[in-house]
Amino acid sequence: MRADMPWNGYPRPIAPRLTDVESKSVSFTHAYSVSSYTSMSLGGLLGGRIPSELTRSGYFFGTYKNDLFFPKLLQTAGIRTMGVQAHMYFKAAGFDVGFDDWKLVPGIVFDPNTDRDVTSQQSEEIAEQLLGDAANDSRRFFFWAHFLDPHDLYMRHEGIDWGKKERDRYDGEITFTDRYVGKLLDFIAARSWAPRTVIIVTSDHGEEFGEHNMTRHGFEVWETLVHVPLMVLAPGVKARHVDVPRSDVDLAPTILDLFGLPPEPTFAGTSIVKEVYGAPSDPRDVVVDLPATSDNGKRRALIRGNLKLICFDNDSYCRMFDVAKDPLERDAITKGDDFKDMRDRYNTYVKTLKEIPPYACTADCLNSQYRRLHPQ
C-alpha cells in the first residue's frame, strides 16, 4: 500500500474502511517501511533493525536464521502469538519464529515471477478462526494479518472498476482488500476484548507506476516504494496526525512497550507509544535500508525532516532530495550546506552499524541477476 491514499488527498474513495480507521487513529503521515520489498522490509520490522544487520541468505526471497524477532519475546512472556499469511514465501522465510499459530492460506502457489492468487477472503476467514478462540477472552495476544492482494498483477474483481490502467487495477485491489479488512474489523469490534485492543495498520512497501521508469516494487528506495501508511488505533487515544518522519523499525519496540515488556537493547527503533498517547514528537533520523541481494545492488536512504539522502551501491555516490518540494525525487541536490550535513550524518550513522554479510549468496552471487540484465 502506497502512502497516497484517500486520507492523504488521493481523489478516489478506494479504501472507505481504512479511511474511517485513519480518521480515528494517530496517523503518522511521514512513515517509512524498513526497505522496499517484502523480504527485506519484514525482516527489519520483525527484527527491530535494518536488514543489513540481520542474518539473511542474500537471495531475493531471503531466509533469516538466528535473529531475535520480537514475537519470540512476546511468546517467552506468555503472550499468545498468531499470524495469517498469503504467500508461499512465508512458509520458509524464517518469519514464523516465535509464533504459536502460523497459518498460510491454503491452495496458494509459488511463482517467483508474479502473484496470481486472490487471498483476502481466505485470510479474513482464517483470522476469524484464530481470533475467535474463546481463550482469547481471558489472555493477552498478538495477531498479525498480512493482506497481500494489492500486489504485482493487480487482479480485477467483480463489481469494482476504477479503469483499465495499472494504477486503476491497483486501486481496485485496494478496494477489494479494504472490504475484507473491514469485515475483520467488524468481527473484532464484536469481541469482548475489543476495548483493550490496539490496532496497527502499515505496509511493507509501496508500488511504482512509472514514476521512475519502474513498475511494481523492489530494487530502489524511492518515495513511491517506501513512504507508507502507519496508523495506530488504541484505547483512549485522541485522533491526530504526526508529521515527523517515523519508521516501521519502531514497531518492534512499540509492541513490546504496549505489552509492558522491557525494551530489547538490540532493537534500533524507538517506541512510539508515548507519542500515540499525546507526547510531543521529537525529530529523529529515519533509515531505509536495501542491502545487496542476488537481484539488486545496495541502496540506503537517510531521512531527516523533508530531506532525504540516497546513497547507492557501496556509498560511492549519494543524491539528496527535498521530498516536500520534490515528492517524485526528480531534482537531485548534490552540493551545499544541507547536502554536506546530510552526508556527514549518513557517514556517522554507517560507523555505528554492525553489518552482517549474507550467509548463502556471497560475492559472485550478489547482484548477479541485475548484472545479467544490465551488462556493461
Side-chain angles (χ1 to χ4, degrees), residues 70-97:
F70 78 82
K72 185 65 180 178
L73 295 173
L74 301 182
Q75 187 184 57
T76 301
I79 297 162
R80 188 72 175 179
T81 50
M82 303 171 282
V84 56
Q85 309 297 329
H87 196 286
M88 282 300 292
Y89 167 62
F90 288 85
K91 185 176 182 180
F95 295 153
D96 58 332
V97 172

Side-chain angles (χ1 to χ4, degrees), residues 141-249:
F141 63 84
F142 168 77
F143 174 76
W144 174 26
H146 187 188
F147 285 90
L148 207 80
D149 279 328
H151 192 258
D152 200 5
L153 274 186
Y154 322 128
M155 307 291 282
R156 297 183 69 87
H157 301 283
E158 185 176 355
I160 301 172
D161 186 5
W162 293 107
K164 297 181 179 180
K165 295 180 180 179
E166 279 209 329
R167 178 64 201 247
D168 300 331
R169 288 185 284 110
Y170 168 84
D171 286 354
E173 292 267 50
I174 293 289
T175 300
F176 178 76
T177 304
D178 183 77
R179 290 179 178 177
Y180 288 99
V181 171
K183 190 171 186 294
L184 180 56
L185 291 171
D186 290 340
F187 177 85
I188 291 170
R191 302 303 102 188
S192 65
W193 39 260
R196 60 182 174 91
T197 297
V198 177
I199 296 173
I200 300 171
V201 179
T202 192
S203 172
D204 55 340
H205 59 78
E207 294 283 76
E208 272 264 337
F209 296 102
E211 291 90 346
H212 299 90
N213 297 316
M214 281 183 62
T215 58
R216 300 192 290 184
H217 55 270
F219 310 138
E220 302 291 346
V221 292
W222 303 121
E223 288 287 284
T224 45
L225 300 174
V226 299
H227 183 197
V228 296
L230 174 60
M231 58 186 85
V232 182
L233 182 62
V237 303
K238 183 178 180 180
R240 66 190 181 102
H241 285 172
V242 176
D243 297 323
V244 296
R246 290 294 181 258
S247 168
D248 278 355
V249 81

